Amino acid sequence: MPLSPPDAFAEEMAPRILRGERRALARAITLIESGRADHRAQAVALLDRLKDEGRSALRVGLSGTPGVGKSTFIEAFGMMLTGQGLRVAVLAVDPSSARSGGSILGDKTRMERLSRDPNAFIRPSPSQTQLGGVARRTREAVALCEAAGFDLVLIETVGVGQSETVVAEMSDLFLLLMAPAGGDELQGVKRGIMEIADMIVVNKADGALKTTATRTCADYAGALRLLRKRPQDPPGFPKAIMVSAAEETGLQAAWNDMQELAAWRKAQGHWDTRRAAQARYWFEEEVRQGLLARLTGDPAARARLADLGTQVAEGTALPAVAAEEMLHWLGR
């Protein structure tokens, strides 16, 4: 029985990705980011073909305020790891314009050394309309990078915000990068993102800022002690540490801490439990997104939505009442 076009595509591409071919990996990520129905069918077939290979990587989410040096840190950290023989993939999500929908996608330019390293792969992606600091298909891109044999996948989010907790649903460890003298930043990020951080990394701990960085690190360590203890943390975690990406100091200590935390969670059973919960989360999220797509893709539903929206805008209907009416119409 001949293979269907999506299955034939998967049979062609899967071996190339498993061999670690960068061109094939880049093409596959482009495919999963596409909104076309035929591309989506090919992407699903490819992911299904690769899911039983059993390859896994350490998934590390990374966020931080603008100007904190995320790209500099990732490049220095990635170069250190590739120098130790590890293969590193970087999935960097850039913000999309709410007006034009465009993104700059400049991360490869900012990580020039790492982008030339044969043991590294950098892929910038637009966030589009997705909230939470990550692109909708970032998790699937992570799965492709794992299948391609990368040891570590770094997921760089758009930037710190209250909604940027989604990255925790696709990473094993979450790092929050902060700058010295960041007391105001600590107030800005609030408890939401602090509660999911496994490590707070105070960057730029060099030169005239080193003393300030030491004080800031102590402040964050104190703030972390005020948070409720989480069952997935060994003694001493979450923790605050200092690094200098510019001088490349503290990076090995940070890597040692990450490995210690990952090993403890695996030994205690938290690793598999968390990944199973993440898989369920993304199943439910895919269902929600699919229902929303059907709502906006049905001409009759769009017309009803537009009519009710006009009533709300004119003040003849309350938003809550109109929403209930729309939901009742959909369930008729």
Short mmCIF file of all heavy atoms in Angstrom, two decimals, residues 7 51 63 109 159 165 167 189 206 273 289 293 307 329:
data_model
loop_
_atom_site.label_atom_id
_atom_site.label_comp_id
_atom_site.label_asym_id
_atom_site.label_seq_id
_atom_site.Cartn_x
_atom_site.Cartn_y
_atom_site.Cartn_z
N ASP A 7 2.94 10.92 5.02
CA ASP A 7 3.73 9.79 5.51
C ASP A 7 5.00 9.63 4.67
O ASP A 7 6.07 9.30 5.20
CB ASP A 7 2.91 8.50 5.46
CG ASP A 7 1.81 8.49 6.52
OD1 ASP A 7 1.99 9.18 7.54
OD2 ASP A 7 0.80 7.81 6.31
N LYS A 51 8.67 10.14 17.32
CA LYS A 51 8.38 10.10 18.75
C LYS A 51 8.89 8.84 19.46
O LYS A 51 9.13 8.87 20.67
CB LYS A 51 6.88 10.26 18.99
CG LYS A 51 6.03 9.05 18.63
CD LYS A 51 4.58 9.28 18.97
CE LYS A 51 3.65 8.17 18.66
NZ LYS A 51 4.09 6.94 18.08
N SER A 63 14.79 33.30 30.54
CA SER A 63 14.13 34.58 30.32
C SER A 63 14.88 35.66 31.09
O SER A 63 15.75 35.36 31.91
CB SER A 63 12.66 34.54 30.77
OG SER A 63 11.97 35.69 30.33
N THR A 109 22.54 36.97 14.58
CA THR A 109 23.51 38.05 14.43
C THR A 109 24.17 38.37 15.77
O THR A 109 25.37 38.63 15.85
CB THR A 109 22.81 39.31 13.88
OG1 THR A 109 22.18 38.97 12.64
CG2 THR A 109 23.80 40.42 13.66
N GLY A 159 10.95 37.92 26.72
CA GLY A 159 11.40 38.84 27.77
C GLY A 159 10.46 38.75 28.94
O GLY A 159 9.33 38.30 28.81
N THR A 165 5.11 32.42 32.06
CA THR A 165 5.24 31.16 32.77
C THR A 165 5.03 29.97 31.85
O THR A 165 5.23 28.84 32.26
CB THR A 165 4.24 31.10 33.93
OG1 THR A 165 2.92 31.31 33.43
CG2 THR A 165 4.54 32.18 34.97
N VAL A 167 6.79 28.98 29.43
CA VAL A 167 8.04 28.29 29.14
C VAL A 167 8.30 27.15 30.12
O VAL A 167 8.96 26.16 29.79
CB VAL A 167 9.22 29.29 29.13
CG1 VAL A 167 9.51 29.80 30.53
CG2 VAL A 167 10.47 28.66 28.51
N VAL A 189 8.73 41.82 38.01
CA VAL A 189 8.40 40.48 37.56
C VAL A 189 7.42 39.78 38.49
O VAL A 189 6.81 38.80 38.13
CB VAL A 189 9.66 39.60 37.40
CG1 VAL A 189 10.57 40.19 36.36
CG2 VAL A 189 10.41 39.44 38.72
N ASP A 206 30.90 41.78 36.90
CA ASP A 206 32.28 42.08 36.54
C ASP A 206 32.54 43.58 36.66
O ASP A 206 31.61 44.38 36.71
CB ASP A 206 32.58 41.60 35.11
CG ASP A 206 31.53 42.05 34.12
OD1 ASP A 206 31.31 43.28 34.00
OD2 ASP A 206 30.89 41.20 33.47
N THR A 273 7.44 12.58 35.95
CA THR A 273 6.12 13.09 36.30
C THR A 273 5.87 14.44 35.67
O THR A 273 4.79 14.72 35.13
CB THR A 273 5.98 13.20 37.83
OG1 THR A 273 6.18 11.91 38.41
CG2 THR A 273 4.61 13.72 38.22
N GLN A 289 -6.61 25.63 20.95
CA GLN A 289 -6.24 26.39 19.76
C GLN A 289 -7.01 25.91 18.53
O GLN A 289 -7.39 26.69 17.66
CB GLN A 289 -4.73 26.28 19.51
CG GLN A 289 -3.87 26.95 20.57
CD GLN A 289 -3.98 28.47 20.55
OE1 GLN A 289 -4.36 29.07 19.54
NE2 GLN A 289 -3.65 29.10 21.66
N ALA A 293 -9.48 28.05 16.17
CA ALA A 293 -9.27 28.13 14.72
C ALA A 293 -10.56 27.79 13.97
O ALA A 293 -10.88 28.41 12.95
CB ALA A 293 -8.15 27.18 14.31
N ASP A 307 -21.56 40.23 14.35
CA ASP A 307 -22.85 40.85 14.70
C ASP A 307 -22.92 41.14 16.19
O ASP A 307 -23.29 42.24 16.61
CB ASP A 307 -23.99 39.92 14.27
CG ASP A 307 -25.35 40.49 14.65
OD1 ASP A 307 -25.62 41.65 14.28
OD2 ASP A 307 -26.13 39.79 15.33
N TRP A 329 -24.92 29.71 20.83
CA TRP A 329 -25.08 29.52 19.38
C TRP A 329 -24.14 28.41 18.87
O TRP A 329 -24.54 27.60 18.04
CB TRP A 329 -24.77 30.85 18.67
CG TRP A 329 -24.98 30.82 17.18
CD1 TRP A 329 -26.14 31.09 16.50
CD2 TRP A 329 -24.00 30.50 16.19
NE1 TRP A 329 -25.95 30.95 15.14
CE2 TRP A 329 -24.63 30.59 14.92
CE3 TRP A 329 -22.65 30.16 16.24
CZ2 TRP A 329 -23.95 30.35 13.75
CZ3 TRP A 329 -21.98 29.91 15.06
CH2 TRP A 329 -22.63 30.00 13.82
#
